[in-house]
Amino acid sequence: MRRMMGQRFFSAPQLAEEVGIETHQAEIVAETLTREGFVQPWFAPQCPNCEGIWAAFIGEDDIPRDVHCPFCGEATPDDLVEFYLVYERLKELPD
Ligand SMILES: [Zn+2]
């Protein structure tokens, strides 16, 4: 996951690990950062074919019936795709 997402995106569990807090605390922090405009939340599908993860959709309504993987080109019905909530860093996070 870390390898796929790089530095630009993070998930709540990654943030928790990085800062040394519980995941549910990290979720609250991420929500605050979203409200303050520091991060943008995305739905990131994981392709069941090649396991690639990419930040693809801002809202649940944006998720199509078939999710096309940009890595292997496979189209997978959305109910077979695992979705993660990730956050895109829009600016430097405050200390
Ligand atoms: Zn794929």
Side-chain angles (χ1 to χ4, degrees):
M1 179 92 177
R2 183 186 295 276
R3 188 174 55 85
M4 304 301 298
M5 305 303 299
Q7 286 298 306
R8 199 168 141 223
F9 295 93
F10 63 90
S11 63
Q14 280 174 352
L15 180 65
E17 195 186 314
E18 206 176 298
V19 188
I21 54 178
E22 300 293 325
T23 300
H24 72 272
Q25 291 175 308
E27 282 165 2
I28 294 166
V29 171
E31 274 172 34
T32 307
L33 291 172
T34 302
R35 263 202 314 274
E36 302 285 327
F38 285 100
V39 299
Q40 167 69 52
W42 290 85
F43 288 101
Q46 178 168 36
C47 174
N49 187 50
C50 72
E51 301 195 334
I53 298 176
W54 69 104
F57 311 111
I58 296 231
E60 240 164 304
D61 294 346
D62 298 337
I63 299 171
R65 287 177 59 88
D66 288 305
V67 176
H68 285 261
C69 174
F71 302 109
C72 69
E74 201 73 25
T76 308
D78 67 341
D79 54 337
L80 298 179
V81 175
E82 192 91 47
F83 286 93
Y84 295 91
L85 188 59
V86 300
Y87 300 89
E88 178 185 9
R89 298 176 208 265
L90 299 178
K91 38 186 166 174
E92 281 302 305
L93 300 187
D95 286 329

